[in-house]
Amino acid sequence: VNQPTMSDWDTGLFDCFSDIKVLLVSYYCGICQLAYQKAAVDEHECGIGDLIPVWCCAICCQVTIRGKIREKYGLDGSCPVDCLVSLFCGLCAISQQTRQLDMKGQKPAGCFMED
């Protein structure tokens, strides 16, 4: 069986300060940021159906979204690592996920990611 080659994230977890705009949006609007990420990974426009689950259980959604990003782009990691990163480095993880999606052509922060 041929296993797909796993790769590193295009941006580091602690590269939070490389894009201050993403860091600030992640800090002040983390729930909205995760909702936009959820919609970007699921490939549809962000709506209330993305916001409500994130609002109700942000940490669970963050772990799930991080896993979906890893799966979609063949990135290294695991669910236990996603849990630890989300619990202890949540802001950096949200920022990393946003930068990763942006590098792949997604706009996971809506109007905040427009040029």
Side-chain angles (χ1 to χ4, degrees), residues 14-25:
F14 299 111
D15 290 345
C16 303
F17 297 102
S18 67
D19 190 336
I20 297 299
K21 186 164 102 175
V22 169
L23 180 65
L24 291 174
V25 171

Side-chain angles (χ1 to χ4, degrees), residues 19 21-22 33 98-99 102 106-115:
D19 190 336
K21 186 164 102 175
V22 169
Q33 189 79 329
T98 299
R99 291 189 312 275
D102 186 48
Q106 304 285 331
K107 293 299 177 201
C111 63
F112 296 108
M113 296 298 287
E114 297 296 322
D115 292 327

Side-chain angles (χ1 to χ4, degrees), residues 39-107:
V41 170
D42 293 341
E43 298 180 357
H44 65 263
E45 290 293 318
C46 186
I48 194 78
D50 299 301
L51 184 61
I52 289 174
V54 174
W55 186 266
C56 293
C57 190
I59 194 70
C60 295
C61 287
Q62 183 173 350
V63 171
T64 302
I65 292 163
R66 189 169 182 83
K68 285 183 176 184
I69 292 170
R70 279 190 310 93
E71 184 178 298
K72 183 172 185 169
Y73 298 113
L75 302 171
D76 284 329
S78 65
C79 187
V81 171
D82 293 343
C83 289
L84 290 172
V85 166
S86 297
L87 281 171
F88 296 108
C89 302
L91 177 60
C92 291
I94 293 171
S95 297
Q96 180 189 37
Q97 292 162 201
T98 299
R99 291 189 312 275
Q100 181 72 34
L101 289 169
D102 186 48
M103 289 175 176
K104 296 299 183 184
Q106 304 285 331
K107 293 299 177 201

